[in-house]
Amino acid sequence: HAQKCQEKAKPRPANPSFASTCVLPTSWTPCKLLAVTPYNHDTSIFEFEVSGRLRLPTCGCLLLKAPGKEHPWVRGDGDAVRPYTPISPEAMDGKFQLLIKRYREWGGEGWAIHQSYKPPGAVSNYLHELVPGKDSVLFSHRSENIKLQYPFLGVRRITMVAVGVGIAPMIQALEKVLDTPGDTTQVVLLYGNRSVKDVLMREKLDAWSQEHGHRFKVVYAVGSRWANVRIGLKKAVKTEGFGTTIADLQKPPMAEDFDSLNVSASQAKELGWVGLEVIRKHAFPPANDHKVFVCGLPGVYDKLCGSREDNFLPEESALRALDLKVTT
């Protein structure tokens, strides 16, 4: 039956102050912000200082704290705490990298509505105001940050569903799966974004799909969920002489730059939301040796597999309809 995977093979450190092999302890630890490199119009790569290698297990993440920055309606001490998965290679020494998208205030001055959010990002806006070389950020790594561990025993096929910066944990897992000699796991990545310019880490994904095209496929889904909805029109609308038809008028609006999105033989592209039909078309079929990885904003989980806190798939979820097992 469709279900969520709860298995977590957690490394057991000798020192209880550390949750795993990661050099960051369970207590909040400051890491100096070394550099911020813009990636596109609203996302940047943040580099933080660390002693030696980070040694974070795959799959695993870090907690980041923005003191006093939590939304006022959220219960707690006022500090905003969010999980982040580094995108830096495992071998990186002396620093690690996070991919941070800035969720700006809805309708804020100078920003289009489709480039702003409600509520805005409590942590992402805090981070984008910091000064490299001067400011530090608090991190910790705890047992609940350790997920299904590589090697993924008994798993021969993986369907990954990511939206926006939800690509980060997929990058972490893909580095292991694709770059480990002897690993033959097959992977299909369904990656959704609002527009072509919002696609993140494409250079790395394209390089992997070119090198490992026999076992790694990328599907770029571009456009909002409304691109999957046909627009209702009265048949009385006059189209003759206007160079169009009722069918053309019912089609969803084309995502910005969608026609310019060129894909290779080991890739594909879809117009619209990563929903039931896109998953049905490209995902591996249900099997005991197949798992689905999902990452995105809360709304993504709601539509595809339900809350990360639940160990079941809601009846109305897309993955329940396809009888797939999911790891979040």
Side-chain angles (χ1 to χ4, degrees), residues 285-302:
N288 290 332
D289 61 359
H290 171 221
K291 290 207 183 305
V292 181
F293 293 2
V294 177
C295 190
L297 291 173
V300 175
Y301 293 102
D302 292 342

Side-chain angles (χ1 to χ4, degrees), residues 45-48 50 54 56 58 62 85-93 95-99 168 171-172 175 201 204:
I45 296 176
F46 285 64
E47 291 189 349
F48 296 93
V50 69
L54 183 60
L56 182 69
T58 303
L62 305 174
T85 302
I87 59 166
S88 43
E90 190 176 50
M92 181 171 283
D93 190 58
K95 60 184 179 181
F96 64 92
Q97 299 173 323
L98 298 182
L99 186 67
I171 293 291
Q172 182 193 58
E175 183 185 11
M201 306 303 292
K204 183 179 286 289

Side-chain angles (χ1 to χ4, degrees), residues 90-276:
E90 190 176 50
M92 181 171 283
D93 190 58
K95 60 184 179 181
F96 64 92
Q97 299 173 323
L98 298 182
L99 186 67
I100 309 293
K101 179 182 179 73
R102 186 170 195 173
Y103 298 98
R104 296 179 181 272
E105 179 74 36
W106 177 268
E109 183 177 354
W111 292 92
I113 291 296
H114 70 277
Q115 293 178 342
S116 55
Y117 298 82
K118 189 177 183 179
V123 173
S124 69
N125 283 288
Y126 159 78
L127 289 172
H128 277 83
E129 296 298 329
L130 300 180
V131 179
K134 176 184 176 181
D135 293 323
S136 295
V137 174
L138 295 173
F139 289 94
S140 70
H141 174 64
R142 302 175 184 179
S143 59
E144 60 268 26
N145 304 140
I146 306 171
K147 304 179 181 181
L148 183 67
Q149 293 293 281
Y150 184 86
F152 308 127
L153 300 179
V155 179
R156 298 177 57 192
R157 297 178 180 86
I158 300 174
T159 296
M160 296 180 171
V161 182
V163 175
V165 285
I167 193 63
M170 309 306 175
I171 293 291
Q172 182 193 58
L174 285 167
E175 183 185 11
K176 279 289 192 180
V177 170
L178 298 178
D179 293 345
T180 298
D183 193 320
T184 60
T185 306
Q186 296 182 341
V187 183
V188 60
L189 167 64
L190 311 181
Y191 185 27
N193 285 279
R194 291 184 175 184
S195 68
V196 174
K197 66 182 180 181
D198 288 314
V199 176
L200 302 172
M201 306 303 292
R202 187 178 176 188
E203 64 286 345
K204 183 179 286 289
L205 297 174
D206 286 355
W208 273 332
S209 64
Q210 181 175 0
E211 181 180 357
H212 304 283
H214 60 292
R215 66 186 186 100
F216 176 53
K217 176 182 178 181
V218 181
V219 179
Y220 294 110
V222 180
S224 74
R225 71 186 69 182
W226 305 114
N228 297 321
V229 178
R230 299 191 68 80
I231 300 170
L233 292 175
K234 296 180 179 179
K235 291 185 179 181
V237 173
K238 183 177 180 180
T239 59
E240 186 177 354
F242 289 91
T244 187
T245 65
I246 290 291
D248 288 336
L249 292 176
Q250 287 179 323
K251 291 179 181 179
M254 184 68 66
E256 184 180 353
D257 296 331
F258 183 77
D259 286 337
S260 68
L261 178 60
N262 298 317
V263 294
S264 65
S266 58
Q267 300 176 339
K269 66 179 183 178
E270 296 284 350
L271 175 62
W273 184 252
V274 182
L276 177 63

Side-chain angles (χ1 to χ4, degrees), residues 286-321:
N288 290 332
D289 61 359
H290 171 221
K291 290 207 183 305
V292 181
F293 293 2
V294 177
C295 190
L297 291 173
V300 175
Y301 293 102
D302 292 342
K303 294 291 184 181
L304 299 183
C305 58
S307 171
R308 286 178 292 180
E309 306 303 321
D310 299 330
N311 61 357
F312 62 90
L313 293 171
E315 290 285 348
E316 66 278 8
S317 66
L319 296 185
R320 176 63 178 268

